[in-house]
């Protein structure tokens, strides 16, 4: 069974730009969660989607948004990028919210 | 509020046993997970506890005491490849939704 895939793996953007990251969950998994990981803050929860609906949201500004499609694939968007948005963005999928999550390899975003 | 504490770093010797502790405070505790993360890689699922007691899985065991807000991960017969960060994560339930809150992780160094 293929694992969680994320594209792109690496991205360099300039302050003020926007970015869209993509996540394809494990086949049959309907829940997708997004996390931001930085050396100083660790892994922080961004949001979770289940059956195309946002179920939960972390404490991030409105510049961070996401969506989920009918095939469970998910995208997250960050608008008006700031230097502090430089991080590893991880996507995790699970069969449903209450099950263990399986992480993708992440997208390393660098904002210059 | 929500808070998860674990030691920042630990060192142990190959072949030995090491215990990584995690204490937590959440309002809607609904399970505790342990993940392993090698440098530059995504976290991988190790164990899950929702009831008090010990869960054993090969060289890894995880213990939970809900009344004390305490868990530990026990690694036996340490191998060099066990050098990694170990993340304690608590699933917190708010209304009808869940989110996973991660500790900052414990960096384990296994020495020959």
């Amino acid at each position: 069974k293929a694992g969680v895939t994320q594209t792109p793996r690496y991205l360099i953007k300039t302050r003020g730009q926007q970015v869209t990251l993509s996540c394809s969950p494990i086949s049959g998994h309907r829940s997708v969660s997004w996390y931001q990981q930085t050396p100083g803050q660790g892994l922080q929860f961004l949001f979770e989607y289940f059956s195309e609906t946002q179920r939960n949201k972390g404490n991030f500004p409105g510049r961070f948004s996401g969506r989920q499609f009918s095939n469970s694939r998910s995208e997250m968007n960050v608008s008006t990028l700031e230097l502090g948005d430089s991080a590893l963005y991880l996507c995790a999928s699970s069969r449903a919210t209450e099950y263990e999550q399986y992480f993708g390899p992440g997208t390393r975003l660098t904002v210059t | 509020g929500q808070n998860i504490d674990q030691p920042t770093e630990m060192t142990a010797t190959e072949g030995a046993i090491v215990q990584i502790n995690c204490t937590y405070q959440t309002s809607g505790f609904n399970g505790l997970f342990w993940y392993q993360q090698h440098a530059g890689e995504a976290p991988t699922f190790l164990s899950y506890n929702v009831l008090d007691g010990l869960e054993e899985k090969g060289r890894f065991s995880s213990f939970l005491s809900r009344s004390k807000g305490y868990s530990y991960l026990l690694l036996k017969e340490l191998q060099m490849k066990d050098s990694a960060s170990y993340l304690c994560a608590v699933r917190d339930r708010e209304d009808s939704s869940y989110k996973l809150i991660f500790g900052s992780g414990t960096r384990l160094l296994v020495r020959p």
Side-chain angles (χ1 to χ4, degrees):
Chain A
K1 201 185 226 185
V4 179
T5 57
Q6 291 187 245
T7 56
R9 292 293 310 279
Y10 302 92
L11 206 48
I12 299 175
K13 289 284 190 179
T14 306
R15 262 184 310 176
Q17 288 185 314
Q18 74 159 13
V19 68
T20 298
L21 311 181
S22 181
C23 171
S24 292
I26 292 171
S27 177
H29 285 193
R30 296 169 64 190
S31 171
V32 174
S33 297
W34 288 89
Y35 297 88
Q36 182 195 65
Q37 187 172 34
T38 58
Q41 298 293 322
L43 256 169
Q44 292 192 289
F45 172 76
L46 279 156
F47 26 66
E48 186 217 353
Y49 287 87
F50 181 82
S51 293
E52 302 178 65
T53 301
Q54 187 180 90
R55 293 279 294 267
N56 216 330
K57 191 176 186 333
N59 297 323
F60 279 81
R63 299 186 296 108
F64 291 81
S65 63
R67 58 179 175 167
Q68 186 180 34
F69 302 95
S70 58
N71 61 358
S72 295
R73 192 177 69 84
S74 177
E75 288 181 347
M76 70 162 277
N77 185 276
V78 188
S79 62
T80 321
L81 283 165
E82 300 177 359
L83 294 179
D85 297 333
S86 294
L88 179 67
Y89 289 88
L90 290 160
C91 157
S93 78
S94 60
R95 280 188 284 166
T97 309
E98 60 269 30
Y99 291 92
E100 67 271 16
Q101 297 182 356
Y102 294 87
F103 284 83
T107 295
R108 172 79 58 189
L109 172 65
T110 302
V111 182
T112 62
Chain B
Q2 301 153 340
N3 194 45
I4 299 176
D5 286 315
Q6 37 179 147
T8 306
E9 279 188 3
M10 298 183 72
T11 303
T13 306
E14 192 177 15
I17 298 173
V18 71
Q19 177 174 312
I20 302 174
N21 296 324
C22 171
T23 57
Y24 64 87
Q25 285 179 311
T26 61
S27 51
F29 176 83
N30 198 262
L32 188 142
F33 297 81
W34 283 95
Y35 283 84
Q36 179 191 61
Q37 186 176 26
H38 285 99
E41 297 181 13
T44 55
F45 169 73
L46 285 178
S47 70
Y48 168 61
N49 296 72
V50 67
L51 299 176
D52 291 351
L54 189 69
E55 293 283 338
E56 296 186 79
K57 199 188 280 188
R59 296 189 298 115
F60 294 73
S61 303
S62 57
F63 171 83
L64 175 67
S65 168
R66 288 172 296 171
S67 62
K68 294 181 180 176
Y70 167 69
S71 173
Y72 67 72
L73 179 70
L74 194 71
L75 292 77
K76 303 174 192 171
E77 300 167 19
L78 279 172
Q79 301 175 10
M80 299 298 290
K81 67 179 182 178
D82 296 330
S83 291
S85 284
Y86 291 85
L87 307 172
C88 170
V90 171
R91 186 167 59 210
D92 192 51
R93 180 172 178 161
E94 266 182 40
D95 299 320
S96 59
S97 65
Y98 302 88
K99 60 181 175 183
L100 210 52
I101 303 161
F102 281 83
S104 299
T106 299
R107 194 159 56 244
L108 174 66
L109 175 64
V110 179
R111 291 185 168 151

